[in-house]
């Protein structure tokens, strides 16, 4: 019996060793060829440099090229659909955005992909906080003063946005819903024209990204009165979070990496581990901050939960505000 126990134990040890060895072998085999990283927006803006930063890190650590593939169109849904329908082997990844994973679905837009079922979330990469920026002629120096001004002059504060249904516009609707203040929404066909009109004083306020407004803030043409991130950000610590005045306010978009559903868990975890190492690297994080991003990380499970909770939150804001997609 002792001999059988001895050899039984040896078999168990060898079996466990074989599983561990197989796991290491599987880890070594990925990746062995270039990886495509789909970006659902054109070059420029904030998605492209974010994707290139993570792509460069992964390329360096994995020893294979990570090729950025810009696939813009239809409010980012074309690129998201390509990512969802790709072969689930780890060689096509997607820089997923809240626009394509949350905002478009929240509007009830007919999509060729399901943001919850058709992806294997890998990890969150960055938050993209939105500032409330006002023209220098607006007397409000804080979010509270802006709200009070709008209540005293209902509908006379014109709040611009790059278009109906954009995250910038949804921030206005959330502000209105939480305060009862009456702002007039002025949609534009893109951010460029809205920027020109705010700088010229033809509109009074806007939700905009940090990189977009930094030059105008520095020149004193406009003023930042609050930021939509749940807490102050490291690059602009002097600007209060809107949540300091309105607890629970959150108007921050975000980007992360996803793979098609069915991608092996070992591959998802390997890429996630490198994303976490990247964000923990001081130089990498400083680079993200220099382009207006707030570095972030998560587990794959946490990113999946973020998509679901954000979808529920913005669906309610859109429904309550009666917003119709263009």
């Amino acid at each position: 019996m002792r001999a059988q126990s001895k050899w039984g134990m040896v078999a168990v040890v060898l079996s466990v060793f074989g599983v561990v060895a197989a796991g290491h072998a599987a880890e070594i085999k990925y990746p062995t060829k270039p990886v495509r990283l789909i970006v659902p927006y054109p070059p420029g803006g904030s998605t492209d440099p974010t994707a290139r930063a993570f792509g460069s890190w992964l390329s360096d650590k994995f020893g294979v090229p990570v090729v950025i593939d810009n696939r813009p169109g239809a409010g980012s849904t074309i690129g998201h659909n390509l990512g969802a329908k790709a072969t689930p082997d780890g060689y096509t990844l997607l820089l997923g955005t809240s626009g394509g994973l949350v905002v478009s679905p929240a509007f009830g837009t007919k999509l060729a992909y399901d943001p919850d079922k058709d992806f294997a979330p890998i990890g969150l990469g960055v938050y993209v906080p939105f500032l409330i920026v006002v023209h220098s002629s607006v007397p409000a120096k804080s979010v509270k003063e802006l709200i009070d001004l709008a209540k005293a002059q209902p509908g006379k504060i014109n709040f611009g946005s790059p278009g109906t249904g954009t995250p910038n516009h949804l921030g206005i609707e959330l502000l209105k819903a939480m305060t009862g203040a009456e702002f007039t929404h002025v949609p534009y066909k893109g951010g460029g024209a809205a920027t020109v009109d705010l700088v010229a004083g033809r509109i009074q306020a806007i939700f905009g990204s940090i990189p977009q407004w930094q030059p105008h803030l520095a020149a004193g043409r406009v003023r930042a009165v609050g930021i939509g991130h749940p807490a102050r950000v490291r690059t602009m610590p002097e600007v209060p979070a809107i949540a300091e005045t309105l607890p629970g306010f959150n108007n921050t978009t975000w980007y992360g990496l996803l793979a098609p559903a069915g991608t092996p868990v070992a591959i998802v975890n390997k890429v996630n581990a490198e994303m976490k190492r990247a964000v923990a690297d001081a130089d990498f994080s400083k680079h993200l901050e220099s382009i207006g991003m707030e570095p972030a990380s998560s587990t794959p499970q946490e990113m999946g939960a973020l998509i679901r909770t954000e979808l529920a939150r913005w669906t309610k804001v859109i429904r309550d505000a009666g917003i119709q997609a263009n």
Side-chain angles (χ1 to χ4, degrees):
M1 290 293 292
R2 280 197 293 269
Q4 288 179 347
S5 297
K6 174 183 176 182
W7 289 113
M9 181 63 71
V10 169
V12 169
V13 170
L14 289 175
S15 175
V16 170
F17 178 80
V19 170
V20 172
H24 282 299
E27 184 179 357
I28 292 170
K29 289 180 181 178
Y30 174 83
T32 59
K33 61 182 182 179
V35 175
R36 177 172 68 145
L37 176 53
I38 296 173
V39 181
Y41 289 92
S46 56
T47 50
D48 191 67
T50 300
R52 292 182 186 280
F54 279 102
S56 177
W57 179 277
L58 294 175
S59 178
D60 180 64
K61 303 306 178 186
F62 289 161
V64 300
V66 174
V67 182
I68 304 301
D69 184 7
N70 296 93
R71 295 299 187 99
S76 83
T77 61
I78 289 176
H80 281 82
N81 187 47
L82 286 171
K85 299 300 191 291
T87 302
D89 58 4
Y91 289 96
T92 297
L93 305 179
L94 168 72
L95 184 78
T97 72
S98 53
L101 295 168
V102 171
V103 176
S104 289
F107 270 106
T109 304
K110 187 176 181 180
L111 302 172
Y113 60 89
D114 185 312
D116 184 35
K117 297 178 181 178
D118 290 345
F119 295 103
I122 296 174
L124 187 63
V126 296
Y127 289 110
V128 191
F130 285 115
L131 297 166
I132 288 186
V133 179
V134 299
H135 187 260
S136 57
S137 66
V138 175
K141 302 294 194 298
S142 67
V143 170
K144 183 180 184 306
E145 290 181 4
L146 182 64
I147 293 166
D148 290 343
L149 186 64
K151 287 183 175 180
Q153 303 175 23
K156 291 191 177 180
I157 301 294
N158 293 314
F159 230 116
S161 83
T164 300
T166 59
N168 318 62
H169 172 211
L170 295 184
I172 303 166
E173 298 299 339
L174 184 60
L175 191 65
K176 289 165 63 177
M178 291 182 72
T179 65
E182 292 185 29
F183 299 102
T184 297
H185 175 224
V186 183
Y188 290 81
K189 293 181 178 179
T195 301
V196 169
D197 274 8
L198 182 61
V199 171
R202 287 186 283 270
I203 56 175
Q204 286 72 53
I206 200 167
F207 269 102
S209 66
I210 293 174
Q212 174 189 2
W213 287 102
Q214 276 177 328
H216 303 293
L217 291 166
R221 302 184 188 98
V222 297
R223 182 189 316 117
V225 298
I227 194 161
H229 201 55
R232 298 190 188 205
V233 299
R234 290 185 290 271
T235 51
M236 300 186 76
E238 74 282 3
V239 180
I242 298 169
E244 293 175 32
T245 302
L246 300 172
F249 188 96
N250 182 352
N251 184 36
T252 294
T253 191
W254 41 263
Y255 312 146
L257 295 187
L258 303 97
T263 299
V265 172
I267 292 176
V268 168
N269 289 339
K270 185 171 184 179
V271 178
N272 175 268
E274 283 305 332
M275 290 182 71
K276 288 184 174 179
R277 290 189 187 101
V279 171
D281 181 84
D283 290 338
F284 187 89
S285 287
K286 285 180 182 176
H287 172 67
L288 292 179
E289 289 171 354
S290 74
I291 56 175
M293 307 294 107
E294 188 75 359
S297 65
S298 75
T299 65
Q301 294 76 19
E302 287 167 343
M303 187 176 179
L306 176 68
I307 293 170
R308 291 188 291 273
T309 56
E310 284 283 273
L311 178 56
R313 183 168 75 95
W314 287 116
T315 297
K316 184 178 186 305
V317 171
I318 290 166
R319 183 184 65 241
D320 290 351
I323 307 169
Q324 300 295 318
N326 285 336

